[in-house]
Amino acid sequence: MRTARTTLLALSLAVAVGLHRTATAQDPAGYSAPFADRLTNRVFPLFAMLQTAPGWADALRNDPVLQKLATDRAARVPQGACKPAPQCLADAWAWTAEDIAAVEARLRTIMSNQKAADALVDRQIRASGRFARHAALSDADLLAAAWRDAAMAMNRVIDVYAKGVPPRYPAIDAFIFDIADPRMVDVLSAHGVATAAQTKPNDLFFEPALRYANGLMQMNERIDAGTFRPLLGGDNADTVRAIARMNWRAKPYTALLVFGHGPEDVQSRTGVMGHIRLAIAADLFARGLAPFIIVSGGNVHPNRTPFNEAVEMKRLLVTQYGIPADRILMEPHARHTTTNLRNCARLLLAADFPADKPALVVSDHRTIQYIGSSELAERNVREMGVQPGRLAPGPDRFTLIFTPDPVAFHVEAVDPLDP
């Protein structure tokens, strides 16, 4: 009897652990990331995979070409003054075209080992969906493309958050310091020297530069991608459980997708159009079109606002419209309409909404026209590299039918605030 009880307890714990992993991982079906869901892994997933895929860390650590490259790159870091400052202090950490080509060649060599290739590409890179834009490539070419993307994305972080190069949306994403301030020389010198001193004997070739880029994002208070993690845990956990219990038989749509509208004054928590969209969504919810609402929007407007659009929209839906908190799923990272769509697609797929039912995008009638336009479709590809799903006319002029596509899991690392 004791043995049976012990076995039953073990099985119960195993089921509980499995449910917990499902409920807290924002991953496609069949994949559970073997690494923590934190800032650097969210922005640069390839590096987390290289660290954890069986056999890869040792292969990279013992590769003589990569060992020499790491030594050469460390020697570039100034320990004193350099010119032109402060840009030269940051340039020392960037990946040159020669660096990128040398690493790609070594990765392709390691890929000739089929066991290593399966461990990394089949079970991590492809299964994760985080490199879906390159899915049609061969295994070796896929890894090479993922590496080039990661290296260029790291260079982009250095350009924007060390050298003050304007990002795509400088009003909300830019460098927070004055690059012309003479004190920036001291700041970047201190960061470079401190980061170099953290180098460890067992570091992989990319880890010092990864620490440098991560430090820049922290110094600029641009760590948005690492907040609210794990996304399907925390404030979303009750809603995820409600989704699992839902009887979907009479529900025409899975969820109402409501995109935030940030204010431009520092006191308001929700933009005026946000209030209008919430009223429309609450009416549709009351009419039974969908049993859940997904509110989408990050800390966007005004620049560096402490208010999060998704958090504020959920608060208003609960307090002003009486919608149960466990019927609202928060997507708290999107910074643009493009990523509203993509991030909602990820949530719809990761939270186990029924695959045979679409969702409804809900907004004011003018914004609905824009969301359904070819202009936004072209912008999706230009800025994210993918179309996150299919849009079709909804039942009224305030809605569009949305069917998510798993390609939405692709990570666009050149946008480190919401990749």
Side-chain angles (χ1 to χ4, degrees):
M1 181 65 69
R2 182 183 299 273
T3 301
R5 287 177 179 172
T6 301
T7 302
L8 181 60
L9 176 61
L11 288 172
S12 299
L13 287 173
V15 171
V17 169
L19 288 174
H20 176 73
R21 287 173 65 86
T22 300
T24 59
Q26 193 191 7
D27 295 318
Y31 177 77
S32 182
F35 43 82
D37 194 5
R38 58 174 180 260
L39 177 64
T40 51
N41 297 344
R42 176 57 54 180
V43 179
F44 301 108
L46 175 64
F47 297 143
M49 293 174 183
L50 290 171
Q51 290 167 327
T52 57
W56 274 85
D58 286 341
L60 297 174
R61 194 174 288 120
N62 296 328
D63 188 284
V65 175
L66 295 179
Q67 288 176 347
K68 183 178 186 303
L69 175 63
T71 300
D72 292 346
R73 284 178 53 80
R76 299 174 197 169
V77 178
Q79 297 298 308
C82 66
K83 292 182 179 180
Q87 287 84 355
C88 60
L89 296 165
D91 286 338
W93 292 90
W95 297 93
T96 67
E98 293 75 16
D99 293 343
I100 294 171
V103 172
E104 178 180 334
R106 301 315 298 164
L107 293 176
R108 288 181 179 276
T109 297
I110 298 171
M111 280 288 293
S112 63
N113 180 316
Q114 191 60 49
K115 185 176 180 180
D118 291 344
L120 179 63
V121 179
D122 279 358
R123 293 194 285 275
Q124 291 287 341
I125 290 179
R126 291 193 186 278
S128 72
R130 292 174 187 172
F131 307 91
R133 191 176 66 194
H134 306 305
L137 299 177
S138 69
D139 285 356
D141 288 345
L142 173 55
L143 176 57
W147 155 245
R148 290 193 298 269
D149 284 355
M152 296 308 296
M154 195 178 296
N155 285 354
R156 185 62 175 166
V157 169
I158 293 170
D159 282 346
V160 174
Y161 296 118
K163 299 165 64 177
V165 174
R168 182 182 286 129
Y169 296 100
I172 56 174
D173 295 344
F175 187 64
I176 69 173
F177 306 107
D178 179 2
I179 194 64
D181 188 330
R183 291 174 294 183
M184 283 307 303
V185 173
D186 294 334
V187 169
L188 290 181
S189 176
H191 180 45
V193 172
T195 302
Q198 296 168 35
T199 301
K200 301 172 179 60
N202 63 341
D203 271 349
L204 302 182
F205 70 93
F206 55 81
E207 289 182 292
L210 183 61
R211 291 190 195 102
Y212 185 81
N214 187 58
L216 292 174
M217 290 188 285
Q218 292 174 332
M219 289 160 50
N220 280 269
E221 300 178 3
R222 300 302 194 182
I223 59 171
D224 302 54
T227 59
F228 297 95
R229 304 292 182 184
L231 187 53
L232 296 187
D235 291 337
N236 278 335
D238 288 346
T239 309
V240 171
R241 285 189 283 269
I243 294 167
R245 296 191 301 265
M246 177 59 55
N247 180 352
W248 294 96
R249 185 172 301 169
K251 308 298 189 294
Y253 303 102
T254 56
L256 308 175
L257 314 183
V258 187
F259 304 163
H261 178 255
E264 289 301 340
D265 66 279
V266 297
Q267 292 181 312
S268 298
R269 297 185 173 202
T270 302
V272 60
M273 299 303 290
H275 288 286
I276 296 170
R277 295 169 189 173
L278 290 175
I280 298 169
D283 176 64
L284 295 177
F285 182 87
R287 288 158 50 191
L289 267 73
F292 294 95
I293 298 176
I294 299 179
V295 287
S296 174
N299 295 64
V300 188
H301 295 280
N303 187 27
R304 300 171 68 197
T305 178
F307 301 122
N308 181 275
E309 291 176 5
V311 170
E312 296 304 323
M313 286 192 289
K314 178 175 180 177
R315 178 181 63 83
L316 292 172
L317 286 170
V318 171
T319 60
Q320 295 190 9
Y321 296 97
I323 295 175
D326 68 352
R327 294 303 185 93
I328 305 169
L329 199 63
M330 293 193 304
E331 186 294 294
H333 297 110
R335 305 178 69 76
H336 314 285
T337 309
T338 53
T339 51
N340 285 131
L341 275 175
R342 182 200 65 191
N343 294 0
C344 283
R346 291 174 176 175
L347 273 183
L348 289 165
L349 294 166
D352 292 331
F353 283 94
D356 60 345
K357 292 179 182 287
L360 274 185
V361 178
V362 178
S363 196
D364 58 278
H365 70 290
R366 291 186 182 277
T367 302
I368 281 293
Q369 292 171 10
Y370 171 65
I371 294 172
S373 70
S374 60
E375 179 184 354
L376 182 64
E378 292 167 3
R379 185 180 161 200
N380 287 336
V381 175
R382 185 171 64 250
E383 297 185 8
M384 302 185 300
V386 298
Q387 290 291 358
R390 299 190 308 278
L391 289 165
D396 58 33
R397 60 180 178 163
F398 304 111
T399 58
L400 288 167
I401 295 171
F402 180 65
T403 304
D405 190 311
V407 76
F409 285 108
H410 179 82
V411 169
E412 189 53 61
V414 294
D415 183 8
L417 276 70
D418 180 27

